[in-house]
Amino acid sequence: MSDPVRSHVSIARYGLTDDRARDDLRAAGWWGADAPVGEYEPTLVALSRSPDPDLALRTLDRMRTSDEAGWRGLNQALATDRGLRARLLSVLGASTALGDFAVAHPGEWRRLLTDRQSPPATYPDTLLAAVANEKPVRELRAAYRGLLLEIAADDLAHLIEPDLPVPDYQQTTARLTYLAEAGIRAALAAAEAEAGAAGGTCRLAVIAMGKTGGRELNYVSDVDVLFVADGDLDVATRIASSMMRVATNACFEVDAALRPEGKAGPLVRNLDGHVSYYKRWARTWEFQALLKARPIAGDIELGQSYLAAVRPMVWTAADRDNFVDDVRAMRRRVEEHVPSELLDRELKLGRGGLRDVEFAVQLLQLVHGRTDEALRLGSTVDALAMLGDRGYVGRTDAAEMAESYRFLRLLEHRLQLQRLRRTHLFPADHETDELRWLARAAGVRSARGKPESQVLLEDFRRHLRRIRRLHEKLFYRPLLEAVARVPTEALRLSAKQAEARLAALGYTAPDGVLRHIEVLTAGVSRRAAIQSALLPALLDMFANTPDPDGGLLAYRRVSEALAATPWYLRVLRDEPAVVERLAMLLGTSKLVPELMIRAPEVLQLLGDQDRLAGRDPDESARSLRQAVNRHSYLPNAVTAARSFRRHELLRIAAADLLGFMDTLTVCHALSTVWAAVLQATLAVVDRAEAAADGTRLATIAVIGMGRLGGAELGYGSDADVLFVCEPADGASEEDAIKYASHVAQTVRRLLSSPSQDPALHVDVDLRPEGRQGPIVRTLESYRAYYGQWSEVWEAQALLRARPIAGDEDLGARFIQMIDPVRYPDGGLNANQIREVRRIKARVDNERLPRGADPATHTKLGRGGLADIEWTLQLLQLRYAHEHLSLRTTSTVDCLTAAVDAGLVAPGDAAELREAWLLVTRVRNAATLVRGKFTDQPPTSGRELAAVASVIRRDVEAEPGEFLDSYRRTLRRARGVVERLFYED
């Protein structure tokens, strides 16, 4: 039967959608024929404004059924007390945990009656009275939760009654902090009572850290503390442990991990112990943690003595040699806690999150608080405001960042209130119900024709973007203003202050950095304006590269070289990915900026991973040949070939450094570029020589040897080749050799002529008779030599031979001719095996450069490239006649074939493969970092950090750890080599 009075009204009008809602309303007496019309309308309207009306109504029904005797009083109070209505219904719709508390503790709702709230000054006495009972933990838990209910109700009431006061963010966090302090004091009193007379043998002070110290606690935060004691430390430790246990069981988690040595250190130390630790062992982050330290319980005099002893050390932390490394390590630890898929939803640790604000503010405090005591504040918001007032950041920027910080803290509070659990995760885009609830709980309303959930989502993203942008500006924009041509009194930072900030961020020559900034931003041109807009972000990005100073210098050089290029700054302004990747490249590699100045078009590819790394090498080779063939004048043709190589070298290097290409792909691409350059140059020289002689006297093929033959070239590798020719019809062998030799020498001379590009050296030292032999031979001459005179080392050299340029048919016949030489029928005899081993021993003893480290040298070091390649080549010489899969010029393919043939155990092969790939990567990385070819990786300093970051794809990779891992990998490979190479 329908309700005659309300049959025309839907409960959806009050935001209720639950199937049980109508029954709950009837049970409450608010709906139906007997419900007084109008009497409960204010309650229903208030219910509709609750963050979750269905949840609030369900909890009210549970309160009714759990305390039927008290329901009449609650029902009447809701109808007559507007303040209670707002406070209770807002809490019940926002927090299931506080709703459960209200159900389990009948009558606690009376705390929320108008003018019944407890002033913060009464919190300590209230909680101390609770622990005076026989069951202190239970009573303390109830008393603490009751006061928390009051704070939450005051925080939320304005959602239902908009004209009620809206508590300021700092008011709420201050009340939460004061409540936590009262909880600590009550728990300490319980612990001291438990200790009895023994407690008189010591003094104990509780020092608040973190958000407690800064008076900015969340609803659900760990309360970070450390302890300082005087007297009997064993008794003090028992009291401290008991205090932590009582507080954790009753109120909140108490965390003492910020104490000296962390969880591994003693829970309690005396004052001298603390001071000694901070003077000798403390890391920078530990001083940063002390920014907010203050005594909150126990012996306050002892606490103040602690503060007086350690606080001065905080303001010298930025002068420490390891300041930047410690700061970066701390940032790395923060980021490691967040899965990559949650970075954009993490309120605290994600990009543009709360930690970005706190980190920025605290770092600026450490840098400038050394000389400006006004910055020595515990509260993030207060410190940010002071940074603005004192001119270290713009007032508008400080205000905007504080607004965004408060917004994120508001969302954090609402999310934590829901179940009183520590969480910082914003709902996903598809979680529409959660988004709607959070929007209503945060006071976000529909606007611009969009529902509140969409408005919240847009506001959230806008604040994240703003924080990330201001994070950069807070650090770097004042640096630009410090060098601008403005009146002295208008400077936000003096030159000295700017240099101090730069040094704190990892720049080793701050005065030079300021000069670069001044040059880049000088004048009133459009170019200077764009640079002024770009540099704050770029300075931040360079600070996170292995060589910030080198990166900025390289950027200045590139910018000056491309000043007249119309698209250069436009690309940087409009494509953030290009800027970020360019900064990484310039702050890591000395080779990249040299190439970029001469091949700037590659910069436009940085924003497109597919165009940068996905180009087919064979397609590139065809493009080169077409470009060279368009030039009839020989020098112009060679210039075109060099230009192509420069472009491709930079493209490959950029893709490699950015992690878009694996090692084998890089080597194959570099080898293809080299082969294409040789092919195009040979063709144009051959054409020019034939034109000069009136006819082509010989057919020529180029055979790739060594790494070129194996398609395993690095950035600085020479091209090892053999030139083979065959007389043209009617030409004598002598004329053919003379013709081909002139072509070969011209190719070598043109490619190796001095230029600003990396050298193009064509090496022919692997030819028969070495440097004493002719540069070019006919096919038959090679056949005769290898048939009569060749030694085992020459057969070994031929293992990697393959045609790469010139006449394909001649190249194929050359390979057919040498196969019996390099894959000898029956393998090697005992004398030949001993000869290979003897030569290898001589290489080990004589070829390592003076001063090179045999433990790390990439080519000739123990477990390096030569070790692995000689081991596999010996297997090829011995067994390739039997196992055809061993007939490959690729080291990695040969290793796979050796496993398939049963010649190498899978475990050994895995060790060799890992070592070969790692050493190849390190060799390439060291060349890119240093800007010149090297086989010896750096073992210290910024160059080692850069190589480590390239290998680990992580700018904050620990260099020492990387070097140890590199050495271990080579040692394991050396063990396998010694076993396989000398195995009969």
Side-chain angles (χ1 to χ4, degrees), residues 1-7 22-23 26 31-33:
M1 179 175 176
S2 62
D3 300 329
V5 177
R6 295 186 181 268
S7 59
R22 190 181 297 271
D23 292 338
R26 287 197 187 101
W31 200 267

Side-chain angles (χ1 to χ4, degrees), residues 616-639:
D616 182 4
D618 294 329
E619 178 189 337
S620 299
R622 286 192 296 272
S623 298
L624 166 66
R625 290 192 291 270
Q626 291 168 4
V628 171
N629 286 335
R630 284 195 291 268
H631 297 277
S632 57
Y633 181 53
L634 185 58
N636 289 349
V638 174
T639 298

Side-chain angles (χ1 to χ4, degrees), residues 67 112 231 240 376 387 407 483 493 544 627 694 711 748 808 962:
D67 184 23
L112 308 185
R376 300 178 182 183
L387 285 165
F407 179 78
V483 300
L493 293 180
N544 289 300
R748 295 181 69 211
E808 294 182 4
F962 156 72

